[in-house]
Amino acid sequence: MKNKLLEHGYSVAAVGFVLFFFSWALRTPAYSVQYPSDPLLNKLTKIDSLHPEKPLHRALLKESLDSFYPDQSARNDSLIDALIQWRRDTYMAAIKSARMDREWSWNRFNDLAAMYSTFIVAFTIVTALIYFGSPALGLYQFIRYNRVCPPDARQWCEACRIVFKKIPGNRSHAFRRIASLKLKWFLKSIAYAVLFSPAYVVAYSFKTNFEKDSMVFLIALGFGTNGLLITSAYKCFSILTSESRKGYVETARAKGLSADYDHLPMRALLQPGKYFSNHVAGHIYKQAVFQYRPALKELASFVVTGLIIIEMALNIQGHLGYELLKSVLYRNWDVVMVIIFGIFLLIKLTEAAADVWHFHESNRYENV
Amino acid sequence: MYGIFTNRTAMKTFETALNLIQKQDRLWLLGWMAGMAIVWTWDYFFLNAPALRLIESAFLNTGLVSLLAVFFALLWSWPAAVTLHFIESKRPVYMSVIFFLNIVRSVPQILGVLIGYTVLTVLIERELLESSDAKLWAMALVISFVVFLELLDSLRERIRWFQRSDFYPAMLVSGVSESRIIQYDILWKNSRSHIINKLIAMFGTAVFLQCSIDFIISVGLSTEVSSQNFPATLGSLLAKMDSKKDILAIGNSLFNPEYIPRLFTTHLQGITVAFLIVFSLLSIYMINRVFALRKRL
């Protein structure tokens, strides 16, 4: 355990060093006006009241130059063009530099710290929701997968046959069955559409403008979209399926535990412990959850990816993802490196916590 | 509506088809293709030709980049898995490589792709990356670097699993070389399904990352270079204002159901792009899932 924690510490130190190095290597010199080497052009650039972009100024300048240098009309024209170009470049460079906001100050630091805190809160909530929600969803999928009852499509066909009197049966019951299946398929389609949609597709379906106070919306999107929940639940389902094929399940069945999934009460899914009385599902679930625990480490990285995508794609101002994108755009490498380091640190802390938790749980089971 | 089921044979055929769809990965693949074909046919009649051409090229570019990314990922992870196996006895080197890989693993995928795209932007600014094909290959390379670890882990897991069984020492004492056991007997003969399953999942991840990063960089990663300088993909197409308005119409139609028919005629560009992304991700997930269940992975 100690080695693992040391490894996390070393990797944080290594990444910190690399980012600091890049931040130093990529630093851009402070902005200063670069004057042209041509002496005449240099003189012209220093006349503050001259604005050659304005037609009147341009015409006056041209006339003045032509009167001072009468036989050099082409040179005078190119001089004015060069002056205009220099003024444009200087103006653009000044704007860029102003946006770079290079100076570190307490205000700047506080802003970043506030964004980071918000990000941590969103990350913690979304991770907890997915981490504790997906085993229940995975177990639901597992129970449904193991049920012997006919699939929905077959039930629908059976109901249709009854409705059209191809086979005997209660027609009103068949009508109700068809209606409920239609409703179920509709809701399932909507759920699948949302679960697999990238967050920005869902978000832009509802609004186009996202403000700083979009925290609840951000958490809802992080939890329900980008395929995070469904992928995590599928991981749990896979573990449950592979566990159900193991020998101890057969032994449990031979010793009298039920393996009938058709009559398994679904309300047990809502209980924290998922206790299934006299059923193998409870034992399979317990083993699966133990194996699922280390998945928290990779989940952390995916949740961060999801949240950053949401913040960047929806341009939520005042959030870490948007600040990162803006800093990349204006080449504020210091800020970029600080944000990346902060995110890396968050993931490493989660990984370390997951390792410690898994270690303690392993010890608990070994002692038993 | 249920008229088609008055014929018993037709009903049975439909029932069989539906059952197959629920169980067979190949049928999900067919369903995916059929969905694409239906959308294309609809767009052919109702969407203007330039927009249709743009969607076609965006879809092909996204598919191509994702496929290339998966191919590159396989190209990196196979030799990496074999090399890691052979250097496992050389502890300092092995531990250093594992330490480095763990660091890469902890970097969120989107950050990795963003850093990669920033490098591509610099290359485009310096006119070192000009042709559209080169940009596509470069985009695939960037994505492959952030997804290949999943496959590498899977390959290493398979090698370890077989190493624990009797099969491995038995082959060794039979005089078969270690490299052949790992590359041919373990990875090729006994792990093909696992690798294919992983590659399908990675293809989905690549599509998702590709769309997301292209959507994000629609605002640009540089004041000189923006998504306009990259080949059109579904993500960049979705980021266009027209498409955003089209997607907003979906939300509008939820509260005004009478607006729904107009979605399929007036707002086709955005709806088509959103559908292509979501339906592709869903289909890839289902193919992956059903394939894993069929092969009992």
Side-chain angles (χ1 to χ4, degrees), chain B residues 30-42 59 275-277 279-280 283:
Chain B
L30 275 178
W32 182 27
M33 297 299 166
M36 300 290 122
I38 290 167
V39 170
W40 185 84
T41 314
W42 185 270
F59 181 69
F275 175 80
L276 287 177
I277 295 174
F279 188 58
S280 297
S283 302

Side-chain angles (χ1 to χ4, degrees), chain A residues 180-205:
Chain A
S180 71
L181 281 171
K182 273 185 180 176
L183 181 69
K184 185 179 164 187
W185 285 343
F186 175 73
L187 293 176
K188 208 171 170 180
S189 314
I190 299 277
Y192 269 129
V194 172
L195 286 171
F196 282 98
S197 285
Y200 39 87
V201 175
V202 178
Y204 280 116
S205 301

Side-chain angles (χ1 to χ4, degrees), chain B residues 86-98:
Chain B
F86 283 109
I87 63 166
E88 207 164 345
S89 52
K90 297 166 186 159
R91 289 312 278 182
V93 183
Y94 176 75
M95 291 309 284
S96 312
V97 177
I98 292 295

Side-chain angles (χ1 to χ4, degrees), chain A residues 79-282:
Chain A
L79 201 66
I80 295 171
D81 287 342
L83 180 64
I84 292 173
Q85 189 60 43
W86 177 85
R87 285 179 62 87
R88 194 175 293 156
D89 291 348
T90 311
Y91 180 68
M92 289 307 292
I95 287 178
K96 260 194 211 177
S97 172
R99 281 178 176 172
M100 276 184 180
D101 201 6
R102 254 189 227 96
E103 294 302 314
W104 277 98
S105 60
W106 272 113
N107 281 345
R108 182 104 193 95
F109 183 77
N110 284 342
D111 284 350
L112 272 181
M115 287 177 207
Y116 191 54
S117 313
T118 315
F119 188 82
I120 290 175
V121 171
F123 167 82
T124 312
I125 296 173
V126 173
T127 308
L129 285 173
I130 294 177
Y131 185 73
F132 294 107
S134 47
L137 192 58
L139 185 60
Y140 171 75
Q141 289 179 334
F142 174 73
I143 292 171
R144 280 193 55 81
Y145 177 71
N146 282 291
R147 284 193 164 168
V148 195
C149 62
D152 290 348
R154 187 168 293 162
Q155 288 182 40
W156 191 52
C157 289
E158 291 290 323
C160 286
R161 282 182 185 183
I162 294 169
V163 167
F164 290 104
K165 298 180 180 172
K166 297 287 177 189
I167 52 170
N170 186 338
R171 286 187 76 202
S172 63
H173 179 78
F175 269 123
R176 276 203 301 276
R177 187 78 201 121
I178 288 172
S180 71
L181 281 171
K182 273 185 180 176
L183 181 69
K184 185 179 164 187
W185 285 343
F186 175 73
L187 293 176
K188 208 171 170 180
S189 314
I190 299 277
Y192 269 129
V194 172
L195 286 171
F196 282 98
S197 285
Y200 39 87
V201 175
V202 178
Y204 280 116
S205 301
F206 294 100
K207 55 187 195 172
T208 48
N209 192 19
F210 302 92
E211 307 296 338
K212 280 185 180 179
D213 56 357
S214 305
M215 189 68 171
V216 177
F217 197 55
L218 176 75
I219 291 168
L221 284 175
F223 170 66
T225 60
N226 288 333
L228 263 180
L229 179 66
I230 198 86
T231 321
S232 198
Y234 174 59
K235 192 176 178 71
C236 226
F237 169 79
S238 305
I239 298 173
L240 283 162
T241 313
S242 82
E243 274 299 313
S244 69
R245 292 179 192 137
K246 287 190 176 167
Y248 73 86
V249 179
E250 288 301 312
T251 312
R253 285 178 66 179
K255 286 195 168 184
L257 280 190
S258 169
D260 172 22
Y261 288 92
D262 286 320
H263 301 100
L264 200 62
M266 284 294 193
R267 66 175 175 277
L269 286 175
L270 301 173
Q271 295 168 358
K274 312 282 184 292
Y275 179 71
F276 297 97
S277 175
N278 290 325
H279 199 282
V280 287

